[in-house]
Amino acid sequence: MTNQSDRMDRFVQDLEQQARSFAARNSGKEGRSTRSLIVADFEFLWDRSRHHGYKTQEGKDAAAIRWPFDRVAASSWISLTFVAGEISPRIEGPFVRTMENSAEVDIVESLFDALRADNRASLFTWGGEFRDLPVLRRCATEHCLLLPDQLRNLSPHAGERVDLCRAVAGLAENPHLGEYAAALSIPAKPIAASSIGKLVERGEWTTVREQCLADTLATALLAVRHWVALGQITCDLMATDLAIVDAAHAAQPHSEFVTRTLKPWVRARHARSRLKGSVYHAADSVIREGETVT
């Protein structure tokens, strides 16, 4: 009876060992065949009251107001997971939170929760190393929040994240998001970037939401193209664009940018992709000053 019990114990142990080995192999395979990215964008509000106190303390030596006095007034993010064999990503979001209904700490903590939920995802921003990420770290310090893995490495070349602005420029001059998106015929920025700060201060939250969401979606479309070019992912680009826009419409059905700009753009691209031969449209040519058309 004892021998039979021992054999049964060894049999159970063998099964457990096989299960652990199988799980480990699958985990490794999943890690190699699945790539995730989380794209985020932010809008800020200057804390003029605290800066005034700083100026009173430092007098003429005080620096002009800059990022330590930025407060996260709005944030938007979207999660894309590319699985080998699937032509388009699995998508969560896009999400948008603003100071209209949330405190800064709640806005930031929601994003941190999303990053921690997928700690192997690469965080994509546009110009984030210059402003966004220092502000997030300041917020974490002030409110005693635990930084997600993507923000702990202080190196601007950290593998856990990508500043897409720096990545596409290399040693060239850093482009604006709207500038680079326009060069690739991707819709972005419903309003001029220089106007957003004043709108935040006036509390025009509908417009602020639209701008933050639009920046996130434009950056996501660019991030996919960037990773495809680098061989980091493979996907059907048209199907991926459609998936991103459909997810945006489902998550943010009242967004005029998504409904009136992004959806018509992706549908037009999809229609052109189904035609054979050369297709000419207005965006294909630019008439320079002094030129004539015959």
Side-chain angles (χ1 to χ4, degrees), residues 121-294:
S122 297
L123 172 62
F124 272 75
T125 60
W126 187 274
E129 296 291 343
F130 299 95
R131 186 181 187 185
D132 303 349
L133 306 188
V135 174
L136 291 177
R137 294 190 186 100
R138 188 276 308 155
C139 184
T141 301
E142 179 176 351
H143 298 292
C144 298
L145 301 178
L146 180 66
L147 283 170
D149 292 344
Q150 293 89 340
L151 297 177
R152 294 189 179 189
N153 187 338
L154 299 182
S155 168
H157 307 289
E160 296 87 354
R161 59 183 183 271
V162 177
D163 183 335
L164 195 55
C165 176
R166 296 174 69 255
V168 300
L171 295 180
E173 186 177 357
N174 288 338
H176 300 297
L177 173 58
E179 175 187 13
Y180 194 73
L184 274 69
S185 297
I186 291 175
K189 292 194 177 295
I191 64 169
S194 59
S195 304
I196 193 64
K198 295 177 182 178
L199 295 174
V200 172
E201 291 200 301
R202 293 204 296 263
E204 297 188 21
W205 296 114
T206 298
T207 306
V208 172
R209 285 178 60 90
E210 285 287 271
Q211 186 84 336
C212 197
L213 174 63
D215 285 355
T216 297
L217 293 172
T219 304
L221 292 165
L222 292 170
V224 170
R225 286 156 170 76
H226 179 69
W227 257 11
V228 167
L230 292 179
Q232 296 292 317
I233 56 173
T234 57
C235 65
D236 182 314
L237 195 57
M238 188 68 256
T240 296
D241 287 352
L242 285 167
I244 291 173
V245 173
D246 286 345
H249 186 256
Q252 307 294 331
H254 303 298
S255 168
E256 290 192 3
F257 172 77
V258 172
T259 301
R260 297 185 179 182
T261 301
L262 208 57
K263 285 191 73 174
W265 168 78
V266 78
R267 285 175 176 172
R269 285 194 66 242
H270 186 245
R272 288 195 300 272
S273 72
R274 300 176 66 182
L275 297 176
K276 294 182 179 180
S278 298
V279 180
Y280 299 94
H281 55 97
D284 285 336
S285 60
V286 176
I287 302 174
R288 297 178 178 83
E289 185 178 356
E291 291 183 348
T292 58
V293 180
T294 59

Side-chain angles (χ1 to χ4, degrees), residues 92-132:
E92 294 183 12
F95 307 95
V96 186
R97 298 196 67 174
T98 74
M99 277 187 173
E100 181 180 19
N101 305 115
S102 304
E104 178 193 46
V105 61
D106 298 321
I107 296 172
V108 173
E109 195 164 27
S110 293
L111 172 62
F112 284 7
D113 287 344
L115 291 169
R116 279 192 289 267
D118 189 359
N119 63 358
R120 292 193 300 176
S122 297
L123 172 62
F124 272 75
T125 60
W126 187 274
E129 296 291 343
F130 299 95
R131 186 181 187 185
D132 303 349

Side-chain angles (χ1 to χ4, degrees), residues 21-55:
S21 298
F22 180 80
R25 287 194 301 272
N26 278 357
S27 175
K29 183 178 180 181
E30 181 75 6
R32 291 190 298 272
S33 62
T34 301
R35 296 299 304 271
S36 298
L37 60 96
I38 294 175
V39 180
D41 185 75
F42 309 88
E43 305 298 344
F44 301 100
L45 175 68
W46 276 333
D47 191 332
R48 295 187 182 274
S49 176
R50 291 189 187 184
H51 185 258
H52 178 73
Y54 159 69
K55 286 177 64 178

